[in-house]
Amino acid sequence: MNGRVGAVILVLVGLGLGATLLRDQVPLGTSQTAPAAAPAQNPVAAEAGAKLQNEQNTIDVVSRFEPGLVFISTESEVVSQNPFGMMFGQPDTQVQQGVGSGFFVNDAGDILTNYHVVAGESSSGAAQKISIRVMGQDRSVPARVIGLAPQYDLALIRPDGLDAKFIRPIPLGNSDTLKVGQKAIAMGAPFGLDFSVTEGIVSSTARQIPIGFGGAGGQGITQKAIQTDAAINPGNSGGPLLDSGGRVIGINTQIISPGVQAGGTGQSAGVGFAIPVNAAKNLLPRLQAAKGGIITAPRIGVVAGLQVQGQGQNIPVGLSALSPQGKEQLNLPESGLVVGEVTPGSPAAKAGLKGGTDTQEFRGGQIALGGDVIVSANGNPVDGVEDLQAALIDRKQGDTVTLKVWRAGQTRDVTITLDASSFQ
């Protein structure tokens, strides 16, 4: 796979029922007719019937919707890291290859997948060559990028020259209604084994994990993800996670793998994650209108006012990065996102947020003072740019976000309304 896919023991103690079961007492000299015994149910047959019902459901879902799955392969030329290559006549470039999965979302042939599946070297834009292959076909066809959303780890591509009869969209479900314990069917190409299927359950519906690229320091934005124990491995990325009705509930994206922590190859440990399909549904119109470009998470028009020196650049950080003594001296809250600047005409400006009026240098960084500090968004703590982005990432134009803002020792609630400028 091109990119990353990406460790509680429950002991049940039974209560022994050794007490005598008491019957209803019957007066002497009277009789009581026992009810006819119900036919005994064969527990083995009952279990087998349940298994067959579940198996048949899985078979039906796979046979109906697996043709909507696509196998994705990519190629990019990268500069060789061998400084002596040219001296010995060796080429100074190499071809980097990757594989992943995707699925059709409409009759036009649009394919939804992960950004990291189609990303180029160092995750900077798309790979130079993207090809897709549908089920039952040996020949691959080229595909072009319709839109990229690195911060969401999502991408939309479209094949060129594919016969319309092979375009089989998979219906999109509603991830907001998911319940823990529901069936989850993962489709994809684990380790390049194209058109593979695994089954499990939804283990959590709102696991907060970093997903995507392009945030501060190159890290992903924290998002709510679906956790599942359906086996997900490298190559499954971009493939659909389906419910028992065959509807897409998520896009497989990452795993937690002890193998990677030990220096080995990442593989399923029963903890996999999928991007909720509702996040993708909200994003689809923007991806379809991107004309091959990159779309970003919504913005409210603020620039972080606390920055530290990184590798060749300043990195925005939250107040928790400062020492307690430093925050006390500057009369600042324990945590929060310092507002350095507010863009004129932006949603933040319209809501009355205020940027810093004075900049103070310190060893290793600088901080803007005299302005606002955002301490929470929609009730969730904010201590950096990514926390604010996480509160905005699934919002659309016209949506509102409630911020708790600290200014000069006082806090107040501020309602931000996203407008067209938030998505430019």
Side-chain angles (χ1 to χ4, degrees):
M1 187 186 87
N2 182 19
R4 62 190 173 99
V5 175
V8 183
I9 297 175
L10 301 179
V11 179
L12 300 180
V13 180
L15 174 64
L17 299 180
T20 302
L21 299 181
L22 300 179
R23 297 174 296 175
D24 289 337
Q25 294 184 354
V26 180
L28 293 176
T30 64
S31 63
Q32 184 178 22
T33 303
Q41 186 177 20
N42 187 331
V44 176
E47 182 178 358
K51 285 183 177 179
L52 287 174
Q53 185 178 18
N54 181 62
E55 289 168 355
Q56 189 59 54
N57 172 255
T58 304
I59 292 169
D60 292 342
V61 169
V62 172
S63 62
R64 183 176 178 185
F65 297 109
E66 193 178 25
L69 178 68
V70 299
F71 176 74
I72 300 174
S73 57
T74 64
E75 291 184 8
S76 293
E77 283 192 355
V78 297
V79 177
S80 173
Q81 299 300 311
N82 181 6
F84 305 103
M86 293 299 293
M87 295 177 58
F88 297 97
Q90 297 176 356
D92 60 353
T93 61
Q94 299 175 346
V95 176
Q96 176 179 284
Q97 298 178 323
V99 297
S101 310
F103 58 97
F104 291 111
V105 294
N106 56 32
D107 292 330
D110 289 341
I111 296 168
L112 193 62
T113 185
N114 284 146
Y115 168 76
H116 74 259
V117 168
V118 299
E121 171 67 4
S122 302
S123 299
S124 55
Q128 294 169 337
K129 182 180 178 181
I130 304 173
S131 301
I132 69 103
R133 180 164 52 83
V134 298
M135 187 174 182
Q137 297 296 303
D138 296 327
R139 187 177 68 91
S140 296
V141 298
R144 54 191 168 90
V145 171
I146 302 300
L148 301 173
Q151 289 177 294
Y152 300 83
D153 196 15
L154 291 173
L156 195 68
I157 62 175
R158 185 180 298 170
D160 291 324
L162 180 67
D163 193 319
K165 69 181 180 182
F166 295 121
I167 299 174
R168 302 279 297 274
I170 305 179
L172 305 182
N174 182 2
S175 51
D176 288 345
T177 63
L178 287 180
K179 303 295 183 183
V180 173
Q182 282 188 227
K183 178 193 283 191
I185 302 172
M187 295 182 178
F191 300 109
L193 301 173
D194 53 340
F195 305 101
S196 296
V197 179
T198 58
E199 179 182 311
I201 64 168
V202 172
S203 306
S204 174
T205 60
R207 189 70 70 195
Q208 293 277 2
I209 63 170
I211 295 176
F213 304 82
Q219 299 299 312
I221 299 173
T222 299
Q223 301 179 49
K224 292 181 179 179
I226 301 167
Q227 179 185 331
T228 180
D229 67 346
I232 296 174
N233 285 291
N236 272 113
S237 283
L241 187 70
L242 277 61
D243 63 12
S244 58
R247 296 172 292 265
V248 178
I249 54 176
I251 299 93
N252 304 320
T253 182
Q254 295 182 41
I255 59 173
I256 289 180
S257 177
V260 172
Q261 298 170 1
T265 301
Q267 53 190 288
S268 176
V271 183
F273 302 103
I275 300 169
V277 73
N278 283 13
K281 289 194 318 189
N282 290 342
L283 205 63
L284 267 177
R286 294 182 63 199
L287 284 169
Q288 291 168 330
K291 299 180 179 179
I294 292 176
I295 63 174
T296 59
R299 300 178 294 273
I300 63 171
V302 298
V303 177
L306 174 58
Q307 301 190 10
V308 297
Q309 294 175 1
Q311 297 179 349
Q313 62 180 346
N314 287 339
I315 300 175
V317 296
L319 278 175
S320 63
L322 293 183
S323 67
Q325 295 82 359
K327 285 178 284 194
E328 182 178 359
Q329 182 180 350
L330 297 173
N331 188 29
L332 292 171
E334 287 296 316
S335 61
L337 174 64
V338 176
V339 178
E341 299 177 18
V342 177
T343 304
S346 67
K350 295 175 182 177
L353 263 63
K354 178 184 176 183
T357 57
D358 180 47
T359 300
Q360 181 171 323
E361 304 280 343
F362 59 89
R363 184 177 180 180
Q366 62 182 27
I367 184 170
L369 300 173
D372 290 328
V373 177
I374 301 172
V375 296
S376 73
N378 290 335
N380 297 312
V382 169
D383 189 49
V385 174
E386 291 182 2
D387 294 333
L388 180 59
Q389 289 173 328
L392 300 171
I393 199 163
D394 61 349
R395 296 299 194 265
K396 304 182 294 297
Q397 184 173 336
D399 286 350
T400 60
V401 178
T402 301
L403 305 180
K404 186 173 290 295
V405 177
W406 180 99
R407 182 188 293 179
Q410 302 293 323
T411 59
R412 72 190 193 283
D413 288 336
V414 176
T415 300
I416 303 284
T417 302
L418 302 182
D419 58 21
S421 68
S422 304
F423 300 90
Q424 295 174 350

